[in-house]
Amino acid sequence: MSAKKKLIVANWKMNLNIHEASVFVHQLAQTIAVHRDVEVVLAPTLLALQSISLQVDRRQFKLAAQNFYWRDFGAFTGEVSAAQLRGLVDYVLVGHSERRHVFHEHAKDIRSKVQAALRSDLKPILCIGETAHERSLGETNGVIHDQLLAGLANVTSEEFHNVVIAYEPVWAIGTGNNATPKDVEKAIQTIRRQIEHLYGKTAAENVRVLYGGSVKSDSAATYLATTGVDGLLVGGASLNQHEFTTIVEAAHHARENN
Ligand code: PEP
């Protein structure tokens, strides 16, 4: 299998205003080295995307939108489409647990967003994962199966090259509850098995699968060394310069582990 770049995504959520985001990007640019084997993606507030896109060196940082609406244009007051984000960002988050559980996005919305992203040449990072309740009922594999099937419906093999999957158990996001490497390895095995079923063995090996859920500088290396993990989706720790810089360095030092 060809070596894959590690992918480290910073999800700043609804934190930092335009000025603060710009100052923080400036600080990160001082400490995050450009490594050929690591791709670093920043997902700031939508408001800051335009200014940050002019500020960053795209070899150092790529950009992602945290959210968008699935229609391309039209009378949808307050919304921003993937078509409008084209050229500004490389990636978009889709199906993040906060979108699913706080904003009640359903499978149909998520499927439409994946398709809208691909239509506009943006790479969707499709986030999937079970809640604590689902986990307690032993439904982790079933949730992964359903969320993948729903999110990827109508995605062709050719389009699938541009899809990234993030396994983010809901109970681990923003809680400080760490999934064990064994949990993560098993879930990612399930993901790749299903991708193989849908798109074939090569696609299953090549798709980038991230882990996300309370990753910090002291746990990053362990997750990155876990079989099947190609990178990390980082929330809270991505708002701290030292933490995030250390996580990117851990990705550079991680070995290919599929
Ligand atoms: C996230 O926002 O996707 C996330 C994983 O957050 P945290 O790292 O804070 O758990």
Side-chain angles (χ1 to χ4, degrees):
M1 189 197 321
S2 60
K4 282 186 254 178
K5 274 190 182 194
K6 298 287 179 203
L7 179 58
I8 305 294
V9 183
N11 177 15
W12 295 349
K13 312 194 188 199
M14 200 173 70
N15 295 296
L16 307 180
N17 63 27
I18 297 176
H19 175 69
E20 289 163 343
S22 167
V23 170
F24 190 46
V25 168
H26 180 74
Q27 289 168 344
L28 288 177
Q30 314 294 309
T31 51
I32 293 189
V34 177
H35 296 297
R36 276 204 305 207
D37 56 353
V38 185
E39 189 173 354
V40 181
V41 178
L42 307 178
T45 166
L46 191 63
L47 282 175
L49 277 176
Q50 173 72 19
S51 54
I52 290 180
S53 79
L54 299 173
Q55 184 181 347
V56 294
D57 177 343
R58 293 281 178 115
R59 282 167 303 187
Q60 188 173 29
F61 300 124
K62 300 225 166 33
L63 297 179
Q66 296 175 20
N67 187 35
F68 59 99
Y69 186 53
W70 59 271
R71 298 268 197 193
D72 290 341
F73 299 99
F76 302 102
T77 302
E79 295 295 330
V80 171
S81 69
Q84 291 171 313
L85 290 165
R86 188 186 199 138
L88 196 56
V89 299
D90 300 281
Y91 292 89
V92 284
L93 298 184
V94 180
H96 190 279
S97 79
E98 286 146 23
R99 300 299 319 170
R100 292 181 194 262
H101 299 289
V102 182
F103 298 99
H104 309 291
E105 284 187 10
H106 294 297
K108 195 163 74 56
D109 306 303
I110 291 160
R111 171 185 315 159
S112 300
K113 285 183 169 195
V114 169
Q115 284 162 18
L118 294 168
R119 210 164 48 236
S120 288
D121 291 325
L122 304 177
K123 297 184 175 78
I125 301 173
L126 174 61
C127 305
I128 59 173
E130 80 287 0
T131 62
H133 182 62
E134 289 162 341
R135 176 179 157 84
S136 72
L137 296 174
E139 291 176 353
T140 300
N141 284 352
V143 170
I144 287 174
H145 175 271
D146 291 352
Q147 292 184 349
L148 277 179
L149 211 59
L152 297 174
N154 306 331
V155 173
T156 65
S157 292
E158 202 185 319
E159 290 171 328
F160 184 71
H161 292 140
N162 288 321
V163 175
V164 176
I165 310 289
Y167 172 60
E168 297 211 298
V170 178
W171 50 271
I173 298 179
T175 58
N177 293 333
N178 288 108
T180 66
K182 200 77 214 152
D183 287 332
V184 175
E185 184 178 336
K186 270 171 51 190
I188 292 184
Q189 242 171 29
T190 303
I191 291 170
R192 290 196 195 275
R193 222 177 291 125
Q194 192 173 348
I195 298 302
E196 179 171 349
H197 183 69
L198 293 172
Y199 297 102
K201 196 166 163 35
T202 307
E205 284 173 357
N206 289 344
V207 62
R208 287 176 298 172
V209 183
L210 314 182
Y211 169 69
S214 296
V215 175
K216 302 278 180 285
S217 59
D218 57 5
S219 57
T222 303
Y223 289 121
L224 287 161
T226 299
T227 302
V229 173
D230 297 312
L232 302 169
L233 177 44
V234 186
S238 73
L239 289 161
N240 177 297
Q241 184 184 5
H242 173 72
E243 281 282 306
F244 192 61
T245 302
T246 308
I247 290 170
V248 172
E249 278 308 299
H252 175 52
H253 293 294
R255 269 176 304 164
E256 188 71 8
N257 56 19
N258 287 306

